[in-house]
Amino acid sequence: MLGRLSSLRRAYRSLYGWATGRLYHELAWGYEIVAWMVSLGRWDAWRCQALDHVIGRRVLEIGFGAGVLLETAADRGILIFGADPSSEMHRVASRRLRRSSRRAPRVRATAQLLPFTDGSFDTVISTFPSGYIFDPDSLNEATRVLSRSVDGGGPGRLVITGLGFRSDRPWLLRLLRALFAGSDTDSVAWYAGRVAELGFQVTVVDDAATPVRVPALILQWPARSEEV
């Protein structure tokens, strides 16, 4: 019985990965619709909370998808750039920004190879990232393009939201993890521990007042070393 359950879980995760891949490429036009449906309308709020932790004047979003956060940031007067490898998502984001008369410079690039010079940005944002966020090269690149001093103060920061869900209702947490093909562990705490071991200063922002939370992780330059 346990073996069959494990096989079903692996099959679902494989199917989930295939489906999300399609939504990010040939079905990119439907990404926001699906995201809204599976989150019961909360997806945009979960994603846009990353902007609450922006510092400085130069911001980069890695994996901007349909461009919702780019548009919201531009509305708030934030100078934001975008990087995404999907040509389909670039087209979707271009249409969105054109309709709202907003501007956000964008490049087609992966998180592992960003075409920007060292220290180009004060804040780097990644919301609901795919597997690239666990690649050490992505972390290296994100920290490379971050400023070491923002407006003469502290170092730049990497803000990540959507690594996992939290809830004080066990049944709801199990449902969310199953729906989004997650593991049974707290992926936010796991990732925070991993990057802390590398020397990063890590802050986890978790609003315990809401029944379903999507914590934000704030990473800053390594406290003991300049290299990741």
Side-chain angles (χ1 to χ4, degrees), residues 40-77:
L40 300 179
R42 292 289 298 160
W43 195 269
D44 195 33
W46 288 338
R47 173 173 46 201
C48 288
Q49 68 176 326
L51 295 178
D52 296 336
H53 308 293
V54 164
I55 59 172
R57 293 167 290 184
R58 304 163 299 167
V59 179
L60 170 67
E61 183 184 8
I62 299 174
F64 58 75
V68 174
L69 198 66
L70 295 178
E71 183 181 39
T72 304
D75 283 340
R76 297 187 186 184

Side-chain angles (χ1 to χ4, degrees), residues 103-188:
R103 293 174 57 86
R106 301 173 305 282
V107 296
R108 189 176 176 188
T110 66
Q112 295 91 339
L113 190 62
L114 296 171
F116 303 105
T117 58
D118 296 0
S120 296
F121 300 100
D122 301 319
T123 303
V124 174
I125 292 174
S126 177
T127 66
F128 290 94
S130 58
Y132 72 79
I133 200 66
F134 302 108
D135 187 336
D137 289 340
S138 298
L139 193 57
N140 284 335
E141 280 292 271
T143 52
R144 178 185 65 78
V145 301
L146 278 172
S147 171
R148 295 175 184 270
S149 178
V150 178
D151 294 332
R157 57 174 51 171
L158 169 61
V159 180
I160 305 172
T161 62
L163 273 181
F165 298 93
R166 286 181 175 175
S167 176
D168 295 328
R169 303 172 184 178
W171 67 269
L172 183 56
L173 185 58
R174 287 195 296 269
L175 177 62
L176 287 167
R177 287 176 175 173
L179 179 62
F180 291 95
S183 67
D184 292 330
T185 61
D186 186 333
S187 53
V188 174

